[in-house]
């Protein structure tokens, strides 16, 4: 099936990446318009671990991987969105006409895997060329899949930042609708479905982590930082609340 998709050009891949000056202010990341760093384009809000962990002395937030504003260090952040699903609806329709459910499922699975592969390839290009913070990287595919390279690419909706609504800010910065033909639904799902997005952190100390459960004080603070009421913030953060909502 993969050969048929490639030979017949049945799917199209699109992607966009962007890099911006950035600095951390508390648990937020200010993304600036240019090197003057006077105009904030977006404020990326992050969440901090609060659960006690015997094996982990620090309590992380993604903002920890960007230099603090008051440090005087000029730091940067990257963003990306890629898809391998343009043309998928037409392809699935062709299988539906034949009542070929197996091929339909396989095509969707292949689209997802192609999108993930695109994201992996783009991240390597970013590390060695586009951003170039790891220009001398030499790594085989096995080590790459084990994430032995420098930097991470977490995404809203995943353990390091469980709040999907942060995607709205990413889409504005990336102009992903116009430049990559990837849209967000009202529920923050990506269309085409075979799409991947995230943030790029270059910090050598950056690593993946799970925020876990948070308490009321952080939910209230997070709502204030995002400019939304607490009830709305709690609805978006429901799976990770470590308390009962009143």
């Amino acid at each position: 099936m993969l050969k048929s998709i490639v030979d017949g050009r049945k799917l199209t891949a699109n992607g966009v990446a962007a890099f911006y000056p950035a600095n951390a202010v508390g648990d937020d990341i200010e993304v600036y318009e240019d090197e003057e760093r006077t105009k904030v384009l977006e404020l990326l809000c992050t969440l901090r671990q609060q659960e006690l962990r015997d094996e982990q002395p620090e309590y992380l937030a993604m903002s920890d991987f960007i230099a603090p504003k008051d440090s005087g260090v000029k730091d940067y952040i990257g963003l990306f969105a890629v898809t391998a699903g343009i043309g998928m609806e037409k392809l699935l329709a062709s299988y539906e006409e034949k009542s070929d459910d197996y091929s339909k499922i396989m095509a969707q699975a292949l689209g997802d895997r192609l999108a993930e592969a695109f994201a992996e390839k783009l991240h390597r290009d970013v590390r060695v060329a586009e951003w170039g913070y790891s220009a001398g990287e030499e790594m085989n595919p096995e080590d790459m899949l084990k994430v032995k390279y420098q930097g991470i690419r977490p995404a809203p909706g995943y353990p390091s930042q469980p709040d999907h609504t942060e995607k709205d800010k990413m889409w504005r910065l990336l102009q992903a609708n116009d430049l990559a033909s990837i849209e967000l639904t009202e529920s923050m799902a990506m269309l085409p479905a075979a799409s991947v997005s995230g943030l790029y952190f270059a910090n050598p100390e950056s690593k993946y982590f799970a925020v876990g459960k948070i308490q009321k004080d952080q939910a209230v603070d997070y709502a204030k930082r995002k400019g939304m009421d607490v009830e709305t913030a709690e609805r978006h953060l429901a799976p990770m609340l470590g308390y009962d909502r009143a």
Side-chain angles (χ1 to χ4, degrees), residues 4-227:
S4 172
I5 289 173
V6 173
D7 291 347
R9 297 182 177 274
K10 296 175 181 178
L11 296 177
T12 298
N14 270 351
V16 59
F19 310 95
Y20 286 94
N23 280 111
V25 178
D27 290 346
D28 296 330
I29 300 169
E30 291 185 346
V31 180
Y32 306 113
E33 181 180 45
D34 53 37
E35 287 292 355
E36 294 298 319
R37 297 173 186 258
T38 54
K39 181 178 180 181
V40 177
L41 290 178
E42 296 288 352
L43 188 71
L44 303 179
C45 300
T46 75
L47 291 156
R48 186 169 295 279
Q49 294 174 320
Q50 285 188 285
E51 290 181 296
L52 290 175
R53 293 175 170 83
D54 293 336
E55 75 285 358
Q56 182 176 321
E58 71 270 11
Y59 294 86
L60 298 172
M62 290 197 304
S63 60
D64 294 341
F65 305 141
I66 298 291
K69 188 175 183 178
D70 59 11
S71 71
V73 175
K74 293 184 176 181
D75 211 343
Y76 300 85
I77 194 167
L79 313 91
F80 76 96
V82 299
T83 184
I86 297 174
M88 182 64 77
E89 289 187 7
K90 182 179 180 180
L91 180 59
L92 296 181
S94 70
Y95 294 132
E96 287 176 354
E97 290 177 359
K98 304 172 186 175
S99 298
D100 188 350
D101 291 338
Y102 176 78
S103 292
K104 181 180 176 181
I105 293 170
M106 286 299 297
Q108 290 172 314
L110 277 173
D112 291 342
R113 298 291 75 77
L114 289 169
E116 292 287 354
F118 189 176
E120 195 71 69
K121 173 64 167 63
L122 182 59
H123 195 186
R124 184 185 184 282
D125 291 345
V126 164
R127 296 192 302 273
V128 303
E130 303 302 333
W131 193 339
Y133 63 81
S134 190
E137 176 182 301
E138 293 184 7
M139 193 168 298
N140 60 45
E142 183 178 350
D143 286 341
M144 191 178 299
L145 292 174
K146 291 180 179 178
V147 196
K148 291 187 177 182
Y149 48 75
Q150 178 181 325
I152 58 174
R153 58 171 192 273
Y158 283 78
S160 298
Q161 169 47 292
D163 180 14
H164 284 277
T165 66
E166 286 293 295
K167 287 179 187 171
D168 258 340
K169 302 171 184 177
M170 291 173 52
W171 252 242
R172 290 193 291 268
L173 290 168
L174 286 167
Q175 302 178 55
N177 285 37
D178 296 332
L179 299 181
S181 300
I182 308 173
E183 300 178 358
L184 289 178
T185 67
E186 289 186 3
S187 61
M188 297 293 119
M190 293 176 285
L191 291 177
S195 299
V196 179
S197 64
L199 302 170
Y200 290 132
F201 291 87
N203 190 322
E205 301 299 320
S206 61
K207 59 185 177 181
Y208 294 104
F209 63 92
V211 171
K213 298 294 184 181
I214 66 169
Q215 297 303 312
K216 180 82 173 184
D217 60 335
Q218 183 166 190
V220 171
D221 179 66
Y222 187 72
K224 182 179 179 181
R225 285 152 46 206
K226 283 182 68 74

